[in-house]
């Protein structure tokens, strides 16, 4: 087939540059257009000097029709609220869209509006956009016009939790997710809080009890497992560029009418069965570190007993499997390529 | 009074250099002797070049009597197992000792031998050595011959938990402690696992369900609050030199016959009352980061609601309040100085 | 004598917080007032959470008379250009001032205006303000109303170079200064360029041939040694919070009518003689690392032969001896205290 | 053509894991064998957990014939001295070898033995092994049995210097190379000096005037340009995993009988002409940071005037273009593939 022509809308951030980086080595897709309000007319390589000599795309003024004409698919890297409107324009102009924002991830307009504090600009679309996690939704992604690319923290929690909940191995309430993210998750806008000297040599919690990825986790685990769950989620800012480690505390259940609680081995076997076909999700014996998956689309997960609980540990790269790698994986599925093309 | 003369036994590690650093600016104490098997005869400043031009102590061969003669107090920075024997020799030789190892922290020989996997060399002393946390045990520290200096992780958990348990504000079971430590906690011996390129840009859990600081936390919370507790403790290696952040998930109780669950505000008020006299423990409104206490003996703690739980967040510097700062604070109490002397 | 009462003007930046930190442990000086246009009315501890529970100063509106009335000395932490005007107001109001900006460091209005691109607001004062390096100018600092606190890079170059130039041991031209600074040197304003993810895991040169500290180095080396020099200076942004390492390439001369070139040993001996009385400047045998002086007012310097050159290596902490530590040292001298008070 | 079958000898270090990483995404080569004395019998993925689920190679006992039978080419990642002997065995056994050590890089046995302090085990081969820098030696690499893979620092100096020397644009003496490397360059053996807490938050020079990459730079610049040069080289350990930045101070000459000194623009144009065909070497207008080339085989170089000198700045990734990326590039040339295969 022909090379997939890709555009990026909102090209100045870290997820955008990661898309550009991954496309450099993609054998069947090519970056052909980019827009960014702040940097119109500049070469993309001027904004991201790591592309110098490797990419001659110029940042153009956003025009949905012009972009749609050039691109088979657009990576929409805009913030929530702003994104939905642009996604609509692009879809109407006839191109397929992978939306990096949270605008189409949740099932409920009400939940969205409560947690994001904005009126949804395209509410009738909510619930109709597939969640871009090919491990569970490949069939719908294949033909989707619009894909809601998953959140980074949710990916690190949904992937270990969903199979265990579905298999009835763990309790659905009393799930505690303690997540640690690299600083790139906070974006590339100029803020004192993410200056080097504020975040280096320091770890801190933020958004305790109030982070928007909490409801996304609950929503998706329910959609995948068929069972409602209630989780407690605490994100932490960790002094590193990339990576998310989620340490998840769960209670084992008496599964399948058996008379004993599910063990760490039972959970491991459940993961192996669930992710048998997956090219990226890897249950591991060792305790995963974010470095083990840095810069890759891989997911490593391990499980250990601790007191009367089980501890699930999941490592991803927040910019790759947590954002841009997942987007490329979605694109591969959308265009009939092997899901790992350009991602190994 | 006269200047307190201080010795360090086991002077090559990070806690030893931190003691030496803190003594540089202590107005009423002075480092006068140091021993280290590996580096006998060398100037201490050769092992720790940050002392160049500031400290002329030479590393001498360990001799309990010789050390005892020179020193009013000895900081014993040896590993567990090796430490107890040396502490005995030093105490018998007539000097007071602050022991950095775990050898005298626990109440039970059985628990010690189970978790540390060694036969305790001085078991009859177990239960008779004061735990060096002046916030709770100043009276006993004052006259102690031997002080068991607290563990770093335990300090970050005991201080927020104990007052709340004592006041009956939270459940005694179902406490989850997710702790993140800087790499200095892993010590200064040459190991691949703590090379720069192994730990930089990476966060990982270790010792899940098996770390020895778990029983220390339970033991001390019980001693302080009078109530047995059962906690789940997971330490993480974080890419930074120093600092511990503990994120602690607890369940509020109906306190004092009231009909409603304890709130975050109740917990905050309880801390304020408990630590009213403390010069170092600071309940704070903001979410503490390890950077806020880096290099200091301060403890910052905050509390937030999250779902049906409360989340306690406590930041300390693992080398200061988590080790050498606490030791200086103990020394101050032992020698009748204000506890904050040299630590502000 | 009475406690020195200290004010900070421009209290939101990294040098201001470092002054506040150092004053916490200063036995004879106390922070009593702070101003900052952006944060009027807030507690200083809200801007700098490391001061929580340790400092109750409130940020007030700048009023030169009010500040002067409260303070024996003001640390003026404003940017160049803006600073001179404020320094004049404060001096006229009757308080002594230590100016952290470059406004009074250079000897020549013309050079200042060329390199800083602004018209100097108080040009007649240029050449009359003492450069705050007590190692060379203590006599003038003692009675100074205004002290120009040295630049960070210049400190790391002036201190190793000046004695060697004065002693005629090295050539005055063909001096190359390759300096590496931690990111705090770039300040605390919100800029994309100093976000964590831009500077972490990366080193880069900046201001090659154009950095303003170049002429400051030349000016001061000349003032101290009596001989004009011409240097080439290249600063680099290094992924660490604090510290400057300057690697300086010089050519040895036939000194003192001798028939052989000055050796590394000659230079080392020259430094020892020059800094014999200094409590902070330490010629060392080892190769200094910035970590060896981190958080301290110390200066470590070493010298090595390399081909037909000598390589001087100097490590300082950019925020301490490179800024706020030097300011406290200056303050000590101004108020008749031992220069190391509160800095050991 | 068939897939190139690749072996790694000495598979536990950082260059080995980087080879394995790069081969994961190489479309025409595959890792088929690995040896490592310390880890025989283990899966390679156990030593390098980032390969979990991606690589099923087992570490086998070294046997030159067995390796040669399995592999078209062997990456020999042993230390100098030990390497030459193994390279000989492998070559005799009939496989092609890319040697990561310094054993065959220099032209002179005498220089080798002086700087490396060992007797060369295969001295007659010295001067007959091609230096693996395809930008200059592709013709010889194509048919080579053995390739000497370049040193990391030398790559960052040879590439900017050689064309300018060859074109007569700069003086051949009085060249100062101030290089800054990430910690991975120090290798993966357990040493206190490269522990996280020793190198983090610190920059330091090492091997001043004595580092072995100095003579390699001089040797190769001479071989490429035809002119002898004499450089001064100072390496620095920088707190980051990967990357080398070399800041090089040179003097412009009156080139080509012209009456004026070569300018920065002349040098830039010279580079553009020299590297016109190169897929990796990129002269850039911006000041390159190591982050701009991190994880890639690219070389970014810039030039600026500073006083009467020119400053050349060159950024590479020490593990990629400085080691394993260059090795893959060499392999591509050796097996008739496009030099950038698997490296974009």
């Amino acid at each position: 087939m022909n090379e997939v022509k890709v555009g990026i809308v909102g090209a100045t951030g870290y997820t955008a540059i990661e898309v550009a980086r991954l496309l450099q080595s993609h054998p069947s897709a090519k970056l052909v257009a980019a827009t960014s309000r702040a940097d119109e007319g500049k070469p993309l390589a001027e904004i991201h000097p790591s592309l110098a000599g490797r990419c001659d795309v110029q940042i153009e003024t956003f025009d949905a029709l012009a972009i749609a004409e050039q691109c088979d698919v657009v990576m929409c890297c805009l913030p929530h609220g702003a994104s939905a409107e642009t996604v609509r324009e692009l879809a109407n102009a006839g191109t397929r869209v992978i939306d990096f924002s949270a605008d189409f991830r949740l099932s409920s307009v009400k939940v969205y509006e409560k947690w994001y504090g904005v009126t949804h600009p395209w509410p009738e679309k909510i619930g109709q956009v597939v969640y871009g996690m090919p491990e569970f939704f490949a069939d719908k992604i294949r033909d989707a016009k619009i894909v809601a690319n998953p959140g980074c923290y949710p990916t690190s929690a949904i992937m270990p939790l969903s199979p265990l909940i579905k298999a009835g191995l763990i309790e659905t309430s009393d799930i505690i997710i303690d997540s640690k993210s690299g600083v790139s998750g906070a974006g590339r806008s100029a803020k004192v809080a993410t200056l080097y000297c504020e975040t280096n040599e320091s770890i801190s919690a933020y958004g305790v009890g109030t982070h928007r990825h909490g409801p996304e986790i609950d929503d998706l685990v329910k959609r995948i497992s068929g069972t409602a769950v209630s989780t407690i989620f605490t994100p932490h800012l960790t002094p590193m560029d990339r990576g998310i480690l989620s340490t998840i505390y769960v209670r084992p259940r008496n599964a399948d009418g058996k008379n004993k609680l599910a063990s760490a081995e039972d959970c491991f076997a459940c993961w192996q069965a669930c992710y048998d076909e997956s090219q990226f999700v890897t249950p591991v014996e060792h305790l995963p570190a974010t470095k083990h998956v840095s810069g890759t689309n891989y997911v490593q997960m391990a499980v250990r007993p601790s007191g009367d609980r089980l501890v699930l540990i999941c490592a991803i790269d927040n910019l790759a499997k947590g954002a841009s790698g997942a987007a490329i994986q979605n694109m591969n599925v959308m265009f009939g390529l092997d899901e790992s093309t350009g991602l190994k």
Side-chain angles (χ1 to χ4, degrees), chain A residues 48-90:
Chain A
H48 303 300
S50 58
L51 296 175
R54 305 169 67 184
C55 172
D56 54 6
V57 169
Q58 300 278 326
I59 297 177
E60 57 192 89
T61 306
F62 178 75
D63 175 326
L65 284 171
I67 295 288
E69 202 161 324
Q70 296 171 75
C71 302
D72 299 311
V73 63
V74 172
M75 305 291 184
C76 188
C77 302
L78 299 178
H80 73 266
S83 194
E85 201 54 85
T86 302
V87 169
R88 173 148 62 175
E89 286 182 55
L90 287 164

Side-chain angles (χ1 to χ4, degrees), chain A residues 248-266:
Chain A
I248 306 175
Y249 300 85
V250 298
R251 287 194 183 282
R253 286 184 63 210
N254 281 2
D256 294 333
K258 290 183 193 161
N259 259 339
K260 64 185 225 349
L261 293 173
S263 65
E265 290 70 27
D266 293 335

